[in-house]
């Protein structure tokens, strides 16, 4: 049956990245996506916005929803302040297996924990099972229809606190209209939109700061 697309991406990373060098892993995945097969990671253009928010927030505890092959996990974990940690939730077992190996190549196994399973099951377990009190930043990049219900779960389970920054990919394409409407109209969030006229599609990232 041949290799999956994600296995091809991992193979490319193994052949083109430098072990222990997160930037070379990010660069290799960007080259593969541009020159071989478009892949749904946040990518180099939107990635600059992610980097900027990481430098602003300097999160100690960062939660990612949607690991895929680990591109944004590597890109963000590389920018974590000393002692910082990234927990990333991935529902798809084969994606999680690929991501773990990509993270190994980057040399970031100690900074990243992949939590396998559906976000709606894992979020309520974060406090007790993973000893997470609250998170400083959340990067939403999983199923777009899960952005709003999972944001409400994060609120209800006390995982986000006053000042926690939500950063959501794809709020225009494929789009997360219910999430956008919720955070933009809620008095409990301060929102900023980062539009990107990308090479393929127009999209935007939304930053929503929880006000508690
Ligand atoms: O949903 C898709 C999608 C839909 C159809 C075909 C391919 C991908 C997608 C597209 C761009 C993204 O940045 C992204 O995070 C996703 N995703 O699946 O989470
Ligand atoms: Mg995305």
């Amino acid at each position: 049956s041949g290799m999956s697309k994600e296995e091809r991406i991992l193979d490319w990373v193994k052949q083109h990245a430098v072990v222990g060098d997160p930037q070379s892993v990010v660069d290799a995945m960007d080259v593969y996506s541009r020159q071989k097969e478009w892949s749904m990671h946040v990518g180099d253009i939107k990635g600059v916005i992610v980097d900027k928010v990481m430098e602003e927030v300097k999160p100690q505890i960062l939660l990612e929803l949607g690991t895929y092959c680990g591109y944004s996990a590597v890109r963000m974990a590389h920018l974590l302040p000393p002692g910082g940690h990234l927990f990333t939730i991935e529902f798809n077992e084969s994606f999680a297996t690929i991501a773990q190996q990509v993270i190994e190549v980057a040399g970031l196994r100690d900074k990243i924990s992949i939590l396998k399973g559906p976000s709606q099951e894992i979020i309520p377990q974060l406090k007790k099972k993973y000893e997470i009190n609250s998170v400083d930043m959340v990067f939403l990049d999983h199923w777009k229809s899960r952005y709003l219900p999972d944001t409400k779960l994060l609120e209800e389970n006390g995982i986000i606190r006053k000042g926690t920054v939500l950063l959501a990919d794809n709020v225009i394409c494929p789009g997360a209209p219910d999430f956008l409407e919720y955070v933009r109209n809620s008095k409990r969030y301060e929102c900023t939109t980062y539009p990107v006229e990308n090479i393929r599609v127009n999209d935007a990232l939304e930053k929503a700061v929880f006000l508690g």
Side-chain angles (χ1 to χ4, degrees), residues 14-182:
K14 285 179 176 172
Q15 287 174 28
H16 294 83
V18 173
V19 174
D21 176 350
Q23 192 57 53
S24 74
V25 169
V26 168
D27 293 344
M29 295 176 88
D30 282 328
V31 166
Y32 190 81
S33 182
R34 193 179 315 112
Q35 294 180 5
K36 305 293 177 191
E37 302 180 77
W38 177 81
S39 332
M40 65 183 177
H41 26 249
V42 71
D44 51 350
I45 298 173
K46 291 190 284 180
V48 169
I49 296 164
V50 175
D51 296 352
K52 194 175 79 68
V53 174
M54 281 297 292
E55 262 122 41
E56 260 170 37
V57 180
K58 295 185 174 38
Q60 276 297 314
I61 304 292
L62 170 55
L63 174 66
E64 174 179 64
L65 307 182
T67 315
Y68 192 40
C69 296
Y71 175 95
S72 47
V74 167
R75 188 167 187 131
M76 295 190 296
H78 183 41
L79 297 175
L80 281 168
H85 201 84
L86 164 60
F87 295 90
T88 180
I89 299 175
E90 179 51 61
F91 161 71
N92 181 309
E93 279 282 345
S94 60
F95 293 172
T97 303
I98 298 291
Q100 190 57 60
Q101 298 172 73
V102 166
I103 289 160
E104 286 288 330
V105 172
L108 291 171
R109 91 158 61 158
D110 296 340
K111 287 190 170 291
I112 301 171
S113 301
I114 302 179
L115 313 182
K116 292 176 198 155
S119 48
Q120 62 269 34
E121 282 177 24
I122 294 186
I123 288 170
Q125 299 173 334
L126 289 176
K127 282 187 184 281
K128 289 203 177 68
K129 188 171 179 187
Y130 300 101
E131 296 179 338
I132 291 173
N133 177 28
S134 66
V135 303
D136 304 310
M137 178 172 163
V138 185
F139 182 56
L140 296 88
D141 194 20
H142 59 335
W143 289 133
K144 310 316 160 194
S145 58
R146 291 296 321 167
Y147 283 22
L148 181 54
D150 285 349
T151 295
K152 290 180 173 172
L153 270 181
L154 291 166
E155 291 174 9
E156 288 150 15
N157 286 273
I159 305 297
I160 58 178
R161 44 91 180 150
K162 182 176 169 52
T164 294
V165 172
L166 307 188
L167 183 64
D169 187 24
N170 310 116
V171 294
I172 303 302
C173 174
D178 56 344
F179 167 80
L180 269 192
E181 202 261 339
Y182 176 76

